[in-house]
Amino acid sequence: MADIATDAAAGMTVVLPKEYPLVLLSCVILCIECFMLGPLVIAPARMRTFTKEFMEQFKEEHQAAFPGSEPAGGGFPDCGEGRYSQKLPYADWVKFNNSMRVHLNFVEQLPIVLTILCVSGLFLPKIAMYVGFINAGARIIYTIMYVLRGSNYRVLGAVAGSLPLYLLMIATFVFAFMEAAK
């Protein structure tokens, strides 16, 4: 557990557990994974889905609204529920949205995951470190299964990443409560 010492002249000093840098490393790896989904998953899905030929059907409407310009390549700003997506064949729409959900789910969950890991790392650093690395590996499984097989197949990665994280959160709460009660 992290130690906090106070010194009237120097202020407060926090001594972190020796494993804490590895907890932070797992957090950095998770951030890199989240960031890399853009160029590795979303960009290829956009280019495959919103081709130049597909976007031609919007050229006249776009030029009426924005004279002298053309619709953006890759279907921007459509994120799967917009005007361009409405014209997609069902299979293309599902595939594109699976890719988008992988990334958006990661973005939505990342602040919660990082907070749990950083706080838990103060009380249970080794466990937090392992859970962080497990979560990073589970995210890769989650992404591959969701993008290649569809939303019904994301469960393995979701459970493998979430269950240890939630157990860690509960254990940290109990541990911190017990420490505070001393």
Side-chain angles (χ1 to χ4, degrees):
M1 184 174 132
D3 292 323
I4 299 174
T6 56
D7 179 345
M12 184 179 353
T13 303
V14 177
V15 179
L16 299 172
K18 67 180 180 180
E19 300 90 351
Y20 201 76
L22 293 172
V23 174
L24 295 178
L25 177 62
S26 72
C27 293
V28 168
I29 290 169
L30 284 162
C31 290
I32 291 169
E33 280 182 341
C34 186
F35 178 78
M36 293 307 296
L37 285 179
L40 296 178
V41 175
I42 303 305
R46 278 192 174 282
M47 296 307 133
R48 224 178 9 258
T49 306
F50 299 110
T51 63
K52 187 169 181 65
E53 295 77 27
F54 177 81
M55 295 304 292
E56 283 293 318
Q57 66 185 302
F58 302 102
K59 191 172 184 176
E60 186 178 312
E61 182 181 2
H62 187 85
Q63 286 183 351
F66 305 100
S69 66
E70 293 187 14
F76 288 100
D78 197 320
C79 288
E81 297 293 335
R83 188 175 218 109
Y84 302 144
S85 292
Q86 292 174 2
K87 303 275 185 168
L88 288 172
Y90 183 74
D92 291 343
W93 179 83
V94 168
K95 288 177 187 175
F96 179 70
N97 273 277
N98 284 346
S99 295
M100 284 301 298
R101 282 308 314 153
V102 161
H103 187 239
L104 293 174
N105 180 271
F106 207 156
V107 169
E108 293 161 359
Q109 295 297 314
L110 192 58
I112 297 165
V113 171
L114 296 178
T115 301
I116 292 169
L117 290 174
C118 288
V119 171
S120 297
L122 297 173
F123 297 96
L124 304 165
K126 285 183 182 177
I127 298 170
M129 172 194 65
Y130 290 127
V131 168
F133 290 127
I134 288 168
N135 198 276
R139 271 290 167 180
I140 294 169
I141 294 167
Y142 179 86
T143 299
I144 291 169
M145 297 303 285
Y146 207 147
V147 171
L148 296 181
R149 302 289 308 273
S151 59
N152 291 338
Y153 295 89
R154 71 186 192 271
V155 174
L156 175 63
V159 171
S162 298
L163 185 61
L165 190 68
Y166 297 146
L167 292 173
L168 173 64
M169 182 176 60
I170 292 166
T172 300
F173 179 77
V174 169
F175 189 82
F177 184 76
M178 289 173 28
E179 285 293 313
K182 285 184 180 179

